[in-house]
Each structure stands twice: as C-alpha cells, then as structure tokens.
Amino acid sequence: MDRLSHRGHILSNLSTIFRRITFNKIFQLFFCISNYSRFNYTFHFTICIKKATKLVHIFLFFMIVSVFLNGCSFKDIDKRAFVTSIGIDESESFEKKYKVTLKISLSKGGPTTTGSDFTVLSYDANSISEALTHMKSMTDKELFYGQTSTILIGEKIAINDIRPILNYFLKRPDIQRTSYLSVAVPTANHVLQYKPKIEQVAGSYLFSIFEDSSTDSPYVEALTLFDAHRRETEDGINIAMPIIEVEDTTIQVDKMALFSKTGMESKLNPKESELYRLLTKGVRNGSTQIETKDGAFTIKITKGNGRLKINRGSDNMLSVIFNIKLRATVEEKIDNQVSLSHHQIKNLQVETEKKMKKEINSLLDKIQKTQIDPIGIGLKFNASNFDHKDLDDFYSNLNVKVNVKCRIVDAGIVE
C-alpha cells in the first residue's frame, strides 16, 4: 500500500506540474497575441492618421492656390487673328533696328471655311517685342501665335549675329519651338507678301516646303527653332539654314546659307545644297549628269546616304572618312541610243562614283576653309573623346577622305 500511495503521489505531482506548464504556455501565447494586436493596431492607426493628415494638407494647399488662379478667358475664333508666319528685316529707317512683319490668316468662322486669304502687318521698332506689342493696335482682334509655323530672317539681318532673335522666340511660350527658320531673299516682307495660286490656308505653303511628309525636294534640309538654338550654343556644329527666294511671281527654295557663331558666312548653290543634304540627312530623287564615251546620261539617285567616321592615325593625326552609298537608275539618255549593255551600266557606276567624289571633296574643302561645321564633325569628335580639341586647330589640320559606292539597279526609262 505504501508503494502504491507513493506512486499515486508522484503521478499527482506530475499532473500538477504538467497543468502548470500548459497554463504558462497558454498565458504566454495569449500575452504575445495581445501585445502584437495592440502594437499592430497602434502602428496602423498611426499610419492612417499620418496619411489622412497629409491628404488634408494637400487638399488645403490646392484650395488656397486655386483662389489665386485666374480663370481661362475663352475667345471665339472670329475674335482671333492667327499669325502663321513672322518676318524679321532690317529697318529702312536709320532710327529703328528691325522691321517686323506678320502674315495673318483671315478666318471665316470655322476650320471648314478657312481659306487662303491673308493680311500683312508691318512695324519698325528697335526690338521685336516692341513691334509685336504695337501691332496689337493695328487690328481689332487678338494676335494669336500658336499657329506660327515659319520664321523668316531677312538677308541683311542674317549676316549679323542672330542669337538675340533666336533667344527672343525661344523665351516666348506661345511660339512653337518646332517652327521652321529660313533666310528670306530679298526681304522677309517681300516673301510674306507672296501669294501662291494654290494654298488651302494662308501660310501653309511655306510650312509644306519644309515638312518632310509634304515634299521630297533633295535641296531642302529644314531647320527648326530648337535645332538652330542648339547649333548656335554648342561647340563643334553650326547653323545651315535654307534660303527662300522670290523672283517676280515664283518662289524658289534650293539653296542653303551657312552660319558661323557671328552670322551668315556663305551660301551653297543648288548642287552643293543637294550634296550637303546627302552628307547629313540623305537624299531621295536626286540627280546628276554623267558624260562618258557612250554619251551623256542623267542618273537619278533614288536613295543616297552618308556616314562619317573619325580615325586617329599612328602619327596622332586625325582624319574623317565619309562613306557614301548611292542607289540609282539611268533616267535619261541625251542622244539617240536607247539600249545599254551590262558593261556600259558598270562604266556608268564608276563614272558616277568619280564625279560624286570630286564634287563632295570640293564642298568639304569649301566648308573646311571657312572653319564652319554645319555637319557637326567637331561635335561628334568631342562627344566620343576625352581629350577635347581646340576646334580651330582641329578643322585646319583635319584630313578628309571620301568613299563613294554607287549601284545602278536598272536602266530606268531608257530600256
């Protein structure tokens, strides 16, 4: 009996110990859950309060700011004068600096009824802003510049520093930075007075000349306002601007004007303008005349593009290599022969490569002598080299090489 009672006492103690241990674990688990819930609730509640406070502050900020904002003033289309082009000329008055000309499209009440009728306003002043402000009193409508697509600079103004003109138009928020720039010959006022026989909207003719989707002229390389400012402020690249010339009742855009940092320095004739575009943007529907022992031919360049590469020789001399690729057809044969053999076509390819290489070398030599860089050779070099060169010495010591590869795909209308 003593042994049995002793065993029962031991079992009773063990049961009590086990219950205590279980109760302690349960109490600890409950305590942990309680503390975690309290912390989690406090944490999330604090975050929610902070977010709500932040949203209230933002809401109050916009409420306060909206009090000081002006409402937008809407004006009907018949109360606006849409300026499509702006011209800057040298004033004929010795007391004034600029003659500013605006070409204004005459609206007829809606986009479907807008025609090509326009009016031209001009005013002489010492600053562009003064002229534009004064011209507000010359019309009964508000002058609206959001549709200005072209800015013409007269030839006499272009030979001087044009940076003040570029800076002014860049600072105006109502002038698009995608507006096209050009040199006007003889004057911007004369060009803006020109009225094409076919024009849907006043000013659209000048815009279409520079728009790639509207024309495929091989002579014109458009220059936008933001690109002109970049070329004027960057080292290693200069402005090349198309020239608009009006003679009697015709308008011609087949020449380019080359600018230094201080103004217009030289002009490119139509053939040089075509070669310049070939070196930079590439050409389509270009042409050249080739004379061989088999006769005279007109070669149509259906596609041409150029790539430049700058190399440093073993003697540390720099050279720029232009690789030109041409895809062409024989468009016209000037004598009576109308059939061409495979050998004659191969000969035409060789002669085309020789002539194009000679003309491109002549153009690059002309540009190099003036130390003007409309192609951006110096900019490309400084962008890919740590040892930036003095560009004056860079251009004078630069060795230029030209490689031309022509492929005549067929004889065109000759065969």
Side-chain angles (χ1 to χ4, degrees), residues 56 96 173 195 213 236 266 312 350 389 391:
V56 170
K96 304 297 181 181
K195 183 176 182 179
S213 60
S266 63
R312 189 190 299 270
V350 174
K389 292 285 186 180
L391 294 181

Side-chain angles (χ1 to χ4, degrees), residues 131-144:
L132 297 181
T133 302
H134 190 88
M135 280 189 280
K136 292 181 179 180
S137 63
M138 301 171 66
T139 178
D140 61 335
K141 298 177 176 60
E142 178 190 4
L143 294 177
F144 182 73

Side-chain angles (χ1 to χ4, degrees), residues 100-112:
V100 182
T101 304
L102 302 181
K103 188 171 187 177
I104 300 174
S105 175
L106 297 180
S107 173
K108 297 181 180 180
T112 59

